[in-house]
C-alpha cells in the first residue's frame, strides 16, 4: 500500500478499450493510491458513455471517486455540430460536473491550420469557455502548437475560474503565463522519459505548487510500462504512481511530500474541498 493519495486529473477511462476490465482496473488504481479521477469528454457521441462510466465507477466499492468533465475536443473539430453545445449545456445543468473539458486549440496537423477550420476551433473553444463561466466551472485545456492563441482567447473572455493545462507541451514562459491566469500544469507519463528535456525544464522552473498529475489513459503510457516498441501499450489509471515517481525524480523531492502538494493542487484546480 502506497503512503499517499493521488488524483488522476485527466483520463479517458470511459473508452471501449476499458469495457472488458474497467472494474478490475479501478480496483487496481485504488489499491496503488489513486483516490480520485476525472473522466474527460472529447466527442458528442461519447457523452452518454462518459456519464454512464462515471455512475458505474461511483457505485463500486474500493474504486477511485470519479468526476465528470464533459466537453468537445479541438482535434475532432470537423465532427462537432453547433447543436452539440446545447446538449453540453444540458449535461452541465443536469449532471454533477466538476469542469468543462477537454477544450482548447490544436494546430498540430496542418489541416487544422486552415483558416476556416481554425476559426471553427476558436468558435467552439469560445462557446465552451462561456458555458464554463455560466456554470462557474474550471476548464481542462488541450493545447497543441497554439499556446499564444489559447492565452489570447482566455484573456479576451476575462476567464477567471482556472483549471488545468493538460499534457503541457509548451515552454517555461508559456507555462508561467497559464499559471498567472490561475491554471495548474498537467504532467503525464512523458515525465518518465529523461529525453523529454523541455518538460523537465518546465516542471523544474515552475516547482511542485503549480503542477498536477494525469495519466491521459489509454495514451501517454509511462516508459517503464511500455511492453513493446512496435505496438502502443494501453495506459491505465493504475500507472499514475509511475508518473509521480518520474516527477519526484525530476524535482528531487520525496514522493510523499510531492504527492501531498499535488493533491492540494488538484483540489484547488477543480474547486473541490476534500
Ligand atoms: Zn485527453
Amino acid at each position: 500500500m502506497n503512503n499517499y493519495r493521488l488524483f488522476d486529473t485527466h483520463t479517458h477511462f470511459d473508452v471501449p478499450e476499458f469495457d472488458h476490465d474497467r472494474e478490475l482496473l479501478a480496483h487496481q488504481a485504488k489499491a496503488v493510491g489513486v483516490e480520485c479521477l476525472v473522466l474527460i469528454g472529447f466527442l458528442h457521441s461519447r457523452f452518454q458513455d462518459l456519464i454512464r462510466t462515471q455512475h458505474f465507477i461511483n457505485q463500486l466499492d474500493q474504486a477511485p471517486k470519479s468526476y465528470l468533465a464533459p466537453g468537445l475536443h479541438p482535434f475532432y473539430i470537423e465532427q462537432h455540430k453547433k447543436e452539440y453545445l446545447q446538449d453540453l449545456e444540458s449535461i452541465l445543468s443536469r449532471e454533477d460536473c466538476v469542469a468543462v473539458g477537454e477544450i482548447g486549440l490544436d494546430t498540430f496537423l496542418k489541416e487544422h491550420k486552415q483558416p476556416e477550420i481554425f476559426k471553427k476551433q476558436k468558435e467552439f473553444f469560445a462557446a465552451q469557455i462561456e458555458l464554463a463561466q455560466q456554470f462557474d466551472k474550471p476548464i481542462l485545456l488541450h493545447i497543441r502548437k497554439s499556446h499564444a492563441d489559447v492565452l489570447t482567447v482566455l484573456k479576451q473572455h476575462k476567464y477567471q475560474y482556472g483549471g488545468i493545462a493538460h499534457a503541457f507541451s509548451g515552454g517555461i514562459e508559456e507555462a508561467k503565463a497559464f499559471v498567472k491566469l490561475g491554471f495548474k500544469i498537467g504532467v503525464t507519463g512523458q515525465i518518465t522519459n529523461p529525453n523529454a528535456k523541455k518538460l523537465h525544464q518546465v516542471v523544474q522552473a515552475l516547482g511542485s505548487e503549480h503542477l498536477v498529475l494525469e495519466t491521459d489513459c489509454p495514451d501517454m503510457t509511462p516508459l517503464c510500462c511500455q511492453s513493446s516498441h512496435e505496438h502502443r501499450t494501453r495506459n491505465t489509471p493504475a500507472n499514475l504512481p509511475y508518473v509521480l515517481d518520474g516527477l519526484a525524480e525530476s524535482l528531487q523531492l520525496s514522493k510523499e511530500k510531492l504527492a501531498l502538494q499535488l493533491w492540494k493542487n488538484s483540489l484547488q484546480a477543480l474547486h473541490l474541498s476534500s
Side-chain angles (χ1 to χ4, degrees):
M1 192 70 194
N2 289 325
N3 195 17
Y4 46 67
R5 291 187 291 180
L6 300 178
F7 205 130
D8 193 344
T9 63
H10 194 111
T11 80
H12 298 282
F13 200 34
D14 62 298
V15 299
E17 281 178 82
F18 296 115
D19 282 353
H20 66 287
D21 61 353
R22 187 173 290 109
E23 182 169 352
L24 176 70
L25 293 171
H27 293 321
Q28 286 175 356
K30 172 85 176 179
V32 297
V34 181
E35 288 292 325
C36 299
L37 60 84
V38 179
L39 291 161
I40 314 257
F42 57 106
L43 280 176
H44 176 264
S45 61
R46 294 219 43 84
F47 281 175
Q48 287 316 311
D49 275 346
L50 190 74
I51 295 166
R52 241 196 308 272
T53 302
Q54 189 219 13
H55 295 175
F56 171 77
I57 296 172
N58 283 345
Q59 53 81 40
L60 296 174
D61 281 331
Q62 296 305 310
K65 175 157 176 50
S66 148
Y67 293 94
L68 206 54
L72 297 165
H73 192 304
F75 186 77
Y76 303 98
I77 193 65
E78 280 107 328
Q79 298 182 50
H80 304 334
K81 294 182 184 161
K82 276 264 159 63
E83 59 262 35
Y84 295 171
L85 293 165
Q86 282 142 32
D87 291 336
L88 179 57
E89 182 178 5
S90 111
I91 291 169
L92 286 165
S93 59
R94 202 174 64 229
E95 297 290 328
D96 184 14
C97 298
V98 76
V100 177
E102 56 189 295
I103 64 173
L105 300 173
D106 186 330
T107 61
F108 182 73
L109 298 180
K110 68 173 188 304
E111 298 93 281
H112 288 165
K113 280 185 212 150
Q114 287 175 12
E116 69 279 18
I117 302 281
F118 193 53
K119 184 167 167 275
K120 189 178 173 191
Q121 279 195 0
K122 280 187 169 170
E123 285 165 3
F124 274 81
F125 184 31
Q128 293 182 93
I129 289 173
E130 285 159 23
L131 280 177
Q133 288 172 318
Q134 183 186 326
F135 290 92
D136 299 345
K137 297 291 179 195
I139 54 180
L140 307 176
L141 292 170
H142 170 100
I143 316 155
R144 273 203 303 181
K145 295 200 182 292
S146 53
H147 292 83
D149 287 306
V150 168
L151 286 165
T152 303
V153 176
L154 291 171
K155 284 175 189 164
Q156 279 166 352
H157 282 82
K158 300 188 168 51
Y159 180 77
Q160 290 179 331
Y161 299 93
I164 298 168
H166 123 83
F168 197 75
S169 59
I172 294 171
E173 291 315 311
E174 290 162 334
K176 285 183 176 166
F178 281 97
V179 167
K180 206 170 158 194
L181 287 183
F183 286 84
K184 303 292 181 199
I185 302 298
V187 179
T188 66
Q190 281 183 313
I191 198 69
T192 64
N193 184 351
N195 296 323
K197 295 228 161 60
K198 193 174 169 189
L199 180 59
H200 286 281
Q201 283 165 1
V202 165
V203 301
Q204 287 162 13
L206 288 187
S208 62
E209 61 268 44
H210 301 299
L211 308 173
V212 295
L213 296 181
E214 56 170 293
T215 56
D216 198 16
C217 67
D219 297 319
M220 301 284 188
T221 308
L223 264 193
C224 51
C225 313
Q226 289 175 17
S227 56
S228 160
H229 290 295
E230 286 97 59
H231 304 286
R232 169 174 153 277
T233 310
R234 183 182 66 157
N235 195 10
T236 88
N239 289 336
L240 196 62
Y242 298 109
V243 186
L244 176 72
D245 291 353
L247 186 58
E249 193 170 320
S250 186
L251 296 176
Q252 300 282 301
L253 289 171
S254 82
K255 285 191 263 187
E256 287 71 21
K257 196 174 164 199
L258 176 59
L260 190 59
Q261 179 68 51
L262 298 173
W263 178 261
K264 285 184 196 161
N265 299 347
S266 308
L267 297 184
Q268 194 194 336
L270 298 169
H271 307 182
L272 297 169
S273 52
S274 61

